[in-house]
Amino acid sequence: MFVTKSISAEHKDLIHDVAYDFHGRRMATCSSDQSVQVWDIGEDSEWHCTANWRTHSGSVWRVTWAHPEFGQVLATCSFDRTAAVWEEVVGESNPNHRGQNHWVKRTQLVDSRTSVTDVKFAPKHLGRNNIILRIELCVVDIAVRLQNEISCKMNCSCISWNPSRVHPAMISVGSDDPSTTGGGKVQVYEYSDGNRKWNKVETLMTVTEAVHDVAFAPNLGRSYHLLAVASKDVRIIMLKPLRRAQSTVGQHSGVTRFEVRQPAQFDEHNSQVWRVNWNITGTILASSGDDGCVRLWKANYLDNWKCIGVLKADGTHHGPGHSGRSHSSHVVGTSATSGASSSSSGAAAGNSSQSSTRVRFTVSPVTDIRVDQKYSVFF
Amino acid sequence: MSGLFGSEWETLGSAAIRKPKTQLSFTTSMGRTMHIELETPANTLSICRDASQVVIAGRTLFKIFCIEDEEFVERANLRVGKKNLNYSSVDVVWHPNDDNVLASAATNSAVITWNLGKASGFKQDHVFNDHRRTVNKVCFHPRDDMLLSGSQDGLMKIFDLRKKEATITFNGQSESVRDVQFMQFQYFSFAAAFENGNIQLWDIRRADKFYQQFTAHNGPAFSLDGHPEERQWLATAGRDKSIKIWDLQFKPVLMHTVQTIAPVTRVKWRPQRKFHISSCSLVIDHTINVWDIRRPYIPFATFEEHKDVATGVVWRHDPHIFLSASKDCTLYQHVFRDAKRPGDKANPVGVDINIFGDVCHAASDNLGGGSHNRGTTASYSSTKVPSFFRKNPEPEEQTRAVCSNVYVFTNKQSRFSDWFCLSAMKYKLSDRPFGELCDHNAQVAENFGRHQICQSWKMLKLLSAPDVSSSTSATFFAIPTTSDKEDKAVTGTEVPLMRNESRTDTNMGDSTGLTSENEESETSDVEHDRAMTSLASNIASHSVFFGDGEDDLLDMYRYDYSGNETTEDWHLPTEAFQPRHEIRDRSPSPDQLQQVRPESPSSCNDSETLSIHNQFLSIPTSDNINPMPMSAVISTSLQPWQFKQIIRDMLHFYAEQGDVQMTVSALIVLGDRIRNLIDETTQELWFMSYIELLCRFQLWVVATEIIKLSNHHAVGALNQASTTIHTNCNKCNKSLITSGWVCNRCQSITNTCSICHHVVKGLYVWCQGCSHGGHLHHIEEWLKSSSWCPAGCGHKCEYS
């Protein structure tokens, strides 16, 4: 079971994002109070704040770690229309923060004309060749270059890199445009080496509500991609690349086609879902919403996604029985046994009541009519 | 002076009566967001007493509009007649009590009053030419016929509108005046903002010196605004991107700081909302923000209609409607219900899972179940926050502040990382016979309670271990599927070779191998009886491969590995009569194949291998020695095909399940049995994924082993890349620039052993201090007796 620990972060306003580093031993939080805090797990397995510094002149929406191969590097993005990359400097003493590590701003991206809503480092394997990067980290001077730009023609709120190594570089972009008529709110782009640009390969037309977060699951050798979407509900989208026709000789000439399925959709949060995150193997999805809960989801061996735990904001947690409704698109018999579940942690999922009725999500009217604007994502 | 004020005391009374009326008159008005295009950029705007008309002015613009419910209607254009610099206004202000009187500040240093009551089109009333430079700001006294001006020349003047002359001049003895404003609740006071960031408070009865001065901003202070209700509150804004709220009661105390993203040119309190203030920016930010000063980080509301920076904001005495002028040549009326609320878009939660399955959750304490305001108070009592937070925030203030609580849910039970890491370390993937590896790994899985994995290992052993019966051993070499040509290419070339060696002198090979190759003693730990023959071939293969294998580390590993593979293939019990077939089968081209293999294992000719298979297949039929009937051959030759499909499906299954550890481990253990059934990219994906997982858990040793065992060129390349060791030449002590072991400077090979003076192939160990070194075992021996460098350079070597 989970052991809950409260951390007294000295942020003076909302914390918008938390991010663990690659090895799970450091954590960064960013807040509207314009600062970022870095936490390290100590010998006593407690989290200690080792750095706290002001990063932007506006709310810091997101913080993300780079692959440790590039050093201890963080990227932040902010309401002040900039994104910045920070590197931890070891050995330099900072008189202002005694005992605290020193983070130096390595670069700042000032190209955006609106609030920068998300920043993500490209997967490591893309980080070394200088073609397809969101933010390219040169080994020598950690310079960041503006590489590429996609005009999404929508209000982008979040992006996610596909971490898969063998597939062409792929990102998914979500929009938090509140109008529900604008069509699909999640777009998937793929980089084409052939003509050196990003092609839109898919628009998820089923997602029409404002999207707050998207997350590709770690691929780990799967033949398909799993994309979690946080909107008014949690959705899990499966993108299975269809084999290219043999006739296309050049490997990168064609655009990959996908078979798109939606294995799961949950509205247990009963409110806006703000964040989705996968575990390391892409088998458990954590979602967090306005109800103040973290809900953990896992698929059983029949690809039937179930809630396996609810973690409350006040530090308590419940087992899956707490909310047994599952809104999977699959109709599954109740003879599910957990024996085939590959991970013992998920074995408990089987005993929740399995009503497999599919609940349709009703669209609630949006009161505010806001001026639609054209945004673009900067690369 | 005394006469001046005496007369004004009378008007004060009437103004005080009139004032509430103006506020009442518009509380019921409901406007809508609307705009009108102007010809030129606007610098400033002002509304009349009842907020029904607006005057807007700019460099080449001076107009009055009536504000209707649905639109702006132009009422007058004050720029009539000859072009005149007096028309070019920096600031304009409507008389607070007289709808017919306007005052404007011009770029040419003039202060002009306008009388709209004039019958003619020319409304200009009087021009004061008292300032020497551009006048930045004019301000009427709220209750009296006094006009205050602040100019670039650093002076502030009070004009008496009845006398039509400048009656008092104030010299700030500072820099240019950017803003002046009468204090609403103190009849004789006004405040002025200066270009050097200072704020001065003046009493108009004392023209010689300000009564208060403080530095409010770093860089120019652009704007100030007294709070409409709180008598002592003053808001200031400056180029340092901040809006500051001061309490002037005794001495100025900074109460709140709002940090914005751009220099702030104008601030204006929102009427009837104690904590709200609107602002517009000098550059960058085209929006008009309304801030709640208690939450100084996110604008309470933003209005994004303008395409260029807004230059002026004026509220229509109503907290929901205001007007703004902008450089984009528009005049807008904004309605609060059309505002964007960035605070709503700001997500109140953050969540992440780390590799151990711990969940970190940061959530706003306003959210469901968040009854903890402990975090709020904690943050305010923190010593880091400015002093104003420490001085007992009002209860209302406290409730407004939003804070997040951070919880870490540590996963204590059935952690993925536990079994993953331990399994990764405990799995045995090579150096043992196949069946043993499977058994061992099954046991490892069993110990972690992962029964499915355990079963899979056991079934793997059953399905592909060829020692189930003699018949399957035969079929292993006689698989007639077209899909595993490469498999046969490798096994077909190596196995006959091994057999050849071990067959020629069956037990002699064993004994000599064991005695001569002591370094292979760990292999002799394997004490399966039936593995004796395989042991022989194992040792034989090791000796063979070590003999010629010193050229490249990776190649050596590959040989090593393939040698083990053949071991596993070969340790099956065989019938005494079978060798004959082998010898005959092998005859086509074992030597030729062996020459080909090291360069490119898969380059074997398909037809050639196929022919081998045909011969394999033909053996049982042509030879009576083999006891198996024809039907048995057919059945056994089909079975492995099915098994391989099943095994392949199993690998894919685990991969899809996210258990790439099982997939990769099984793939390595199975080796060439299954390799050719799975395409290269998929294998690479699996390997890479597993290696990355191992790296995340910092299991570098296991990761390296996987790379080593992968037998996949792209994966294997990982070990050859991304690690750089900088070395010095051990002769001239200059750093080696080129890769390899030749020093550019002294043109000699640097990796000779300091003890035996031979070039070291394989493991080379050297001292970081003096760059001398040699064979690992030589150096080890040397260091037992001496700690000085064996090369005699006098360095006390350190090998850590």
Side-chain angles (χ1 to χ4, degrees):
Chain A
M1 252 0 254
F2 285 98
V3 174
T4 309
K5 238 180 258 173
S6 175
I7 291 179
S8 64
E10 290 189 348
H11 283 297
K12 293 183 277 294
D13 204 308
L14 284 184
I15 295 172
H16 296 303
D17 201 12
V18 289
Y20 282 108
D21 80 332
F22 188 73
H23 297 302
R25 304 207 163 269
R26 313 193 82 187
M27 187 169 76
T29 57
C30 67
S31 162
S32 259
D33 70 0
Q34 308 169 354
S35 67
V36 166
Q37 292 182 359
V38 174
W39 302 78
D40 284 283
I41 198 153
E43 299 284 318
D44 50 357
S45 70
E46 295 284 334
W47 290 97
H48 300 285
C49 180
T50 54
N52 179 4
W53 75 105
R54 201 171 149 241
T55 49
H56 288 275
S57 55
S59 298
V60 188
W61 298 133
R62 298 267 195 167
V63 61
T64 183
W65 291 87
H67 192 278
E69 192 170 286
F70 305 112
Q72 292 297 311
V73 174
L74 278 177
T76 54
C77 64
S78 165
F79 181 73
D80 72 359
R81 306 175 179 195
T82 62
V85 176
W86 306 84
E87 191 191 14
E88 188 174 35
V89 176
V90 180
E92 266 181 47
S93 64
N94 185 1
N96 296 332
H97 302 92
R98 261 172 293 118
Q100 298 232 309
N101 296 354
H102 187 39
W103 288 77
V104 180
K105 188 193 284 184
R106 289 302 184 200
T107 190
Q108 191 161 22
L109 301 172
V110 294
D111 313 85
S112 175
R113 303 187 62 180
T114 59
S115 170
V116 183
T117 48
D118 202 352
V119 58
K120 291 270 162 57
F121 283 104
K124 190 192 102 188
H125 61 279
L126 299 175
R128 275 299 174 88
N129 61 55
N130 43 12
I131 315 168
I132 340 161
L133 306 177
R134 175 167 174 71
I135 290 171
E136 182 200 2
L137 296 169
C138 289
V139 185
V140 187
D141 58 346
I142 310 194
V144 178
R145 275 178 227 152
L146 200 68
Q147 284 287 326
N148 216 322
E149 188 181 328
I150 308 175
S151 181
C152 295
K153 298 191 177 57
M154 62 178 194
N155 223 332
C156 302
S157 62
C158 48
I159 62 168
S160 175
W161 283 95
N162 186 346
S164 169
R165 212 171 239 280
V166 295
H167 299 93
M170 186 192 293
I171 59 167
S172 121
V173 182
S175 161
D176 62 352
D177 194 325
S179 77
T180 53
T181 54
K185 290 289 194 299
V186 177
Q187 298 178 345
V188 179
Y189 292 84
E190 193 181 76
Y191 188 77
S192 155
D193 279 331
N195 49 10
R196 289 173 160 263
K197 67 176 206 190
W198 291 86
N199 298 318
K200 182 155 76 180
V201 290
E202 198 64 56
T203 302
L204 303 180
M205 299 306 289
T206 52
V207 185
T208 54
E209 295 282 342
V211 172
H212 304 296
D213 201 8
V214 288
F216 272 111
N219 183 274
L220 293 195
R222 286 188 193 84
S223 59
Y224 52 87
H225 311 296
L226 277 177
L227 178 70
V229 177
S231 177
K232 287 279 275 190
D233 46 12
V234 185
R235 289 167 197 232
I236 296 167
I237 313 276
M238 184 188 275
L239 294 164
K240 195 178 177 74
L242 299 174
R243 300 235 169 231
R244 290 163 200 272
Q246 294 298 319
S247 57
T248 55
V249 183
Q251 203 196 339
H252 299 290
S253 59
V255 173
T256 318
R257 299 263 160 235
F258 292 95
E259 177 200 334
V260 182
R261 273 198 324 123
Q262 183 176 307
Q265 177 177 2
F266 318 102
D267 62 357
E268 269 90 342
H269 283 289
N270 279 323
S271 54
Q272 291 291 336
V273 182
W274 290 102
R275 285 280 189 270
V276 282
N277 249 303
W278 292 94
N279 73 340
I280 181 174
T281 49
T283 49
I284 298 176
L285 177 73
S287 66
S288 175
D290 265 343
D291 59 350
C293 295
V294 179
R295 289 171 194 272
L296 302 175
W297 311 94
K298 190 176 191 310
N300 69 3
Y301 73 110
L302 289 169
D303 203 22
N304 190 9
W305 289 80
K306 290 262 166 33
C307 179
I308 60 162
V310 181
L311 310 175
K312 288 263 191 186
D314 57 3
T316 58
H317 40 77
H318 298 279
H322 183 66
S323 61
R325 290 180 302 150
S326 159
H327 308 300
S328 164
S329 57
H330 291 270
V331 178
V332 184
T334 51
S335 61
T337 52
S338 57
S341 178
S342 67
S343 158
S344 54
S345 70
N351 56 17
S352 63
S353 66
Q354 295 199 353
S355 74
S356 307
T357 42
R358 184 170 175 185
V359 174
R360 278 209 171 274
F361 186 76
T362 51
V363 179
S364 67
V366 179
T367 49
D368 281 357
I369 300 159
R370 296 175 191 179
V371 178
D372 197 355
Q373 286 193 347
K374 186 172 159 183
Y375 290 81
S376 59
V377 188
F378 288 87
F379 280 82
Chain B
M1 279 250 306
S2 62
L4 173 75
F5 293 120
S7 65
E8 278 154 8
W9 280 117
E10 294 165 17
T11 50
L12 175 65
S14 58
I17 295 161
R18 251 184 280 158
K19 197 165 188 254
K21 243 197 253 171
T22 59
Q23 286 206 342
L24 280 174
S25 64
F26 259 91
T27 44
T28 52
S29 145
M30 287 303 288
R32 66 176 191 94
T33 299
M34 57 185 183
H35 75 282
I36 188 165
E37 300 282 340
L38 310 165
E39 299 85 33
T40 57
N43 282 341
T44 177
L45 79 174
S46 179
I47 54 168
C48 71
R49 181 166 53 93
D50 62 358
S52 62
Q53 297 173 59
V54 59
V55 58
I56 186 156
R59 246 186 121 70
T60 55
L61 172 75
F62 209 137
K63 281 182 176 178
I64 293 174
F65 293 95
C66 283
I67 310 165
E68 307 285 339
D69 280 349
E70 293 295 314
E71 58 182 345
F72 293 102
V73 176
E74 185 174 332
R75 190 190 146 203
N77 187 354
L78 301 182
R79 286 176 63 87
V80 289
K82 212 171 69 181
K83 284 271 186 312
N84 188 331
L85 271 181
N86 289 346
Y87 292 139
S88 157
S89 304
V90 181
D91 191 30
V92 66
V93 63
W94 212 304
H95 196 286
N97 302 317
D98 188 342
D99 279 352
N100 281 333
V101 178
L102 288 174
S104 70
T107 48
N108 66 349
S109 79
V111 174
I112 305 129
T113 56
W114 308 76
N115 189 351
L116 303 180
K118 279 189 177 181
S120 72
F122 186 71
K123 310 285 189 191
Q124 187 171 315
D125 189 29
H126 192 266
V127 179
F128 300 97
N129 281 316
D130 295 273
H131 282 293
R132 291 192 306 277
R133 294 183 61 192
T134 302
V135 179
N136 284 323
K137 186 78 183 172
V138 284
C139 177
F140 279 107
H141 193 278
R143 280 149 298 197
D144 222 329
D145 271 346
M146 272 191 291
L147 182 66
L148 176 66
S149 69
S151 161
Q152 202 72 17
D153 60 13
L155 301 180
M156 295 144 284
K157 287 176 187 288
I158 281 187
F159 303 93
D160 188 320
L161 298 181
R162 289 156 301 179
K163 287 188 187 167
K164 310 251 188 255
E165 64 175 41
T167 49
I168 316 168
T169 298
F170 307 91
N171 190 347
Q173 310 211 324
S174 192
E175 292 208 26
S176 306
V177 186
R178 297 307 297 248
D179 199 358
V180 286
Q181 190 176 56
F182 279 110
M183 304 295 279
Q184 196 126 13
F185 300 98
Q186 289 154 294
Y187 188 88
F188 296 110
S189 296
F190 72 86
F194 288 84
E195 199 132 296
N196 58 4
N198 283 350
I199 302 294
Q200 291 181 357
L201 301 175
W202 288 80
D203 188 317
I204 56 175
R205 295 164 296 190
R206 284 191 60 196
D208 55 336
K209 198 167 189 303
F210 50 83
Y211 70 86
Q212 187 79 262
Q213 172 174 293
F214 58 96
T215 302
H217 291 278
N218 237 332
F222 285 141
S223 178
L224 54 81
D225 193 26
H227 198 281
E229 290 146 31
E230 292 294 314
R231 307 177 71 94
Q232 301 295 340
W233 284 15
L234 182 72
T236 64
R239 201 173 64 186
D240 60 358
K241 305 180 183 179
S242 61
I243 301 167
K244 295 184 177 178
I245 316 297
W246 304 86
D247 186 347
L248 305 175
Q249 185 128 32
F250 303 109
K251 66 191 275 251
V253 176
L254 179 63
M255 294 173 61
H256 295 275
T257 304
V258 176
Q259 192 67 46
T260 70
I261 66 170
V264 185
T265 47
R266 282 281 165 266
V267 283
K268 208 80 194 165
W269 289 96
R270 187 181 176 197
Q272 297 163 39
R273 295 292 184 276
K274 185 177 171 188
F275 296 103
H276 288 187
I277 189 165
S278 55
S279 75
C280 53
S281 306
L282 180 70
V283 286
I284 301 169
D285 190 2
H286 303 167
T287 61
I288 296 164
N289 296 316
V290 177
W291 303 85
D292 188 313
I293 55 172
R294 294 162 302 180
R295 194 182 178 188
Y297 305 110
I298 306 180
F300 175 74
T302 62
F303 298 85
E304 300 179 343
E305 282 84 358
H306 283 299
K307 306 276 185 300
D308 202 339
V309 290
T311 49
V313 170
V314 55
W315 292 84
R316 286 185 66 185
H317 305 315
D318 180 314
H320 300 291
I321 305 175
F322 69 92
L323 305 170
S324 68
S326 163
K327 280 194 175 153
D328 66 357
C329 310
T330 55
L331 166 66
Y332 255 96
Q333 170 170 287
H334 305 272
V335 181
F336 227 78
R337 62 171 183 273
D338 293 337
K340 290 204 173 179
R341 305 292 184 95
D344 294 348
K345 271 197 175 181
N347 65 314
V349 293
V351 67
D352 201 7
I353 313 183
N354 75 354
I355 57 168
F356 306 108
D358 303 346
V359 177
C360 180
H361 184 220
S364 160
D365 51 8
N366 281 352
L367 289 184
S371 56
H372 293 238
N373 49 6
R374 187 190 46 80
T376 318
T377 50
S379 73
Y380 276 125
S381 61
S382 139
T383 51
K384 284 217 172 117
V385 300
S387 57
F388 63 90
F389 278 130
R390 270 181 258 148
K391 59 145 206 162
N392 295 333
E394 299 163 37
E396 193 189 0
E397 201 169 301
Q398 218 170 6
T399 56
R400 281 295 303 189
V402 196
C403 242
S404 289
N405 298 317
V406 184
Y407 292 101
V408 176
F409 301 93
T410 315
N411 195 352
K412 289 290 186 193
Q413 188 194 3
S414 69
R415 306 206 314 179
F416 165 78
S417 52
D418 291 344
W419 58 256
F420 178 87
C421 295
L422 290 171
S423 303
M425 286 184 282
K426 288 191 175 167
Y427 271 170
K428 288 233 182 320
L429 304 177
S430 61
D431 289 341
R432 297 273 185 91
F434 176 78
E436 233 178 279
L437 292 176
C438 287
D439 283 339
H440 175 90
N441 294 343
Q443 191 57 44
V444 169
E446 180 91 61
N447 289 346
F448 293 108
R450 304 180 69 234
H451 306 291
Q452 193 190 7
I453 303 287
C454 172
Q455 284 301 324
S456 299
W457 280 114
K458 286 179 178 164
M459 281 162 70
L460 266 188
K461 184 190 170 194
L462 288 176
L463 289 180
S464 20
D467 55 354
V468 182
S469 68
S470 59
S471 62
T472 44
S473 84
T475 57
F476 196 80
F477 300 103
I479 304 155
T481 52
T482 50
S483 58
D484 45 9
K485 286 171 203 156
E486 286 174 339
D487 183 22
K488 280 171 291 182
V490 178
T491 55
T493 51
E494 287 189 10
V495 171
L497 176 71
M498 294 310 130
R499 288 196 171 188
N500 184 26
E501 285 175 1
S502 54
R503 286 304 147 200
T504 44
D505 42 358
T506 317
N507 282 327
M508 280 293 287
D510 266 1
S511 54
T512 52
L514 278 170
T515 48
S516 63
E517 301 286 334
N518 282 333
E519 58 191 287
E520 299 294 324
S521 57
E522 81 269 10
T523 334
S524 64
D525 293 342
V526 185
E527 288 183 343
H528 276 256
D529 285 349
R530 61 183 182 190
M532 280 305 285
T533 47
S534 76
L535 188 60
S537 69
N538 186 16
I539 288 160
S541 69
H542 272 276
S543 62
V544 166
F545 290 130
F546 274 108
D548 63 355
E550 271 200 3
D551 49 358
D552 188 341
L553 209 61
L554 182 79
D555 274 359
M556 196 167 77
Y557 287 138
R558 196 189 291 149
Y559 289 153
D560 194 7
Y561 180 55
S562 51
N564 288 323
E565 277 305 300
T566 55
T567 307
E568 289 151 24
D569 291 343
W570 175 235
H571 83 281
L572 327 164
T574 46
E575 303 300 326
F577 43 76
Q578 267 192 332
R580 268 209 297 173
H581 312 179
E582 292 302 326
I583 291 161
R584 229 183 64 190
D585 298 337
R586 198 177 52 78
S587 55
S589 57
D591 295 329
Q592 182 200 345
L593 281 176
Q594 214 229 339
Q595 284 163 0
V596 172
R597 191 180 48 80
E599 279 79 42
S600 54
S602 60
S603 68
C604 285
N605 197 343
D606 285 353
S607 62
E608 202 171 44
T609 52
L610 269 179
S611 71
I612 296 173
H613 286 293
N614 290 337
Q615 284 175 351
F616 272 127
L617 265 181
S618 65
I619 299 158
T621 53
S622 60
D623 264 316
N624 288 328
I625 307 166
N626 194 318
M628 277 190 294
M630 182 63 185
S631 61
V633 173
I634 292 167
S635 68
T636 50
S637 64
L638 282 177
Q639 268 177 338
W641 180 80
Q642 287 173 333
F643 290 158
K644 291 202 170 190
Q645 287 301 318
I646 290 168
I647 291 168
R648 191 188 69 168
D649 290 348
M650 186 205 77
L651 293 181
H652 278 286
F653 168 79
Y654 281 116
E656 308 283 290
Q657 290 279 313
D659 191 356
V660 76
Q661 180 177 48
M662 179 64 194
T663 304
V664 170
S665 304
L667 186 64
I668 289 175
V669 169
L670 286 164
D672 290 329
R673 287 180 183 81
I674 194 74
R675 274 294 176 75
N676 40 22
L677 283 181
I678 298 159
D679 67 81
E680 290 268 305
T681 22
T682 314
Q683 285 190 35
E684 185 186 341
L685 178 61
W686 289 346
F687 276 117
M688 291 297 194
S689 304
Y690 187 43
I691 289 163
E692 172 157 338
L693 273 186
L694 292 170
C695 287
R696 290 194 79 164
F697 285 107
Q698 300 176 320
L699 299 167
W700 316 113
V701 178
V702 185
T704 314
E705 196 188 337
I706 298 293
I707 294 171
K708 196 175 81 178
L709 294 176
S710 69
N711 206 7
H712 185 284
H713 62 93
V715 179
L718 285 180
N719 262 4
Q720 312 252 303
S722 80
T723 304
T724 313
I725 300 172
H726 295 282
T727 49
N728 291 334
C729 170
N730 56 14
K731 292 209 174 63
C732 59
N733 218 10
K734 290 285 180 294
S735 62
L736 292 174
I737 301 146
T738 55
S739 60
W741 292 104
V742 178
C743 176
N744 280 356
R745 199 154 166 273
C746 44
Q747 298 293 329
S748 58
I749 294 172
T750 60
N751 64 335
T752 50
C753 176
S754 298
I755 292 171
C756 67
H757 298 286
H758 287 117
V759 170
V760 181
K761 290 182 175 172
L763 287 177
Y764 176 68
V765 62
W766 75 99
C767 167
Q768 292 285 318
C770 64
S771 309
H772 294 115
H775 290 102
L776 177 61
H777 55 277
H778 284 161
I779 297 293
E780 269 176 354
E781 256 173 52
W782 177 270
L783 287 174
K784 276 177 198 162
S785 54
S786 166
S787 63
W788 301 94
C789 180
C793 68
H795 184 256
K796 196 164 184 175
C797 291
E798 284 178 29
Y799 294 91
S800 56

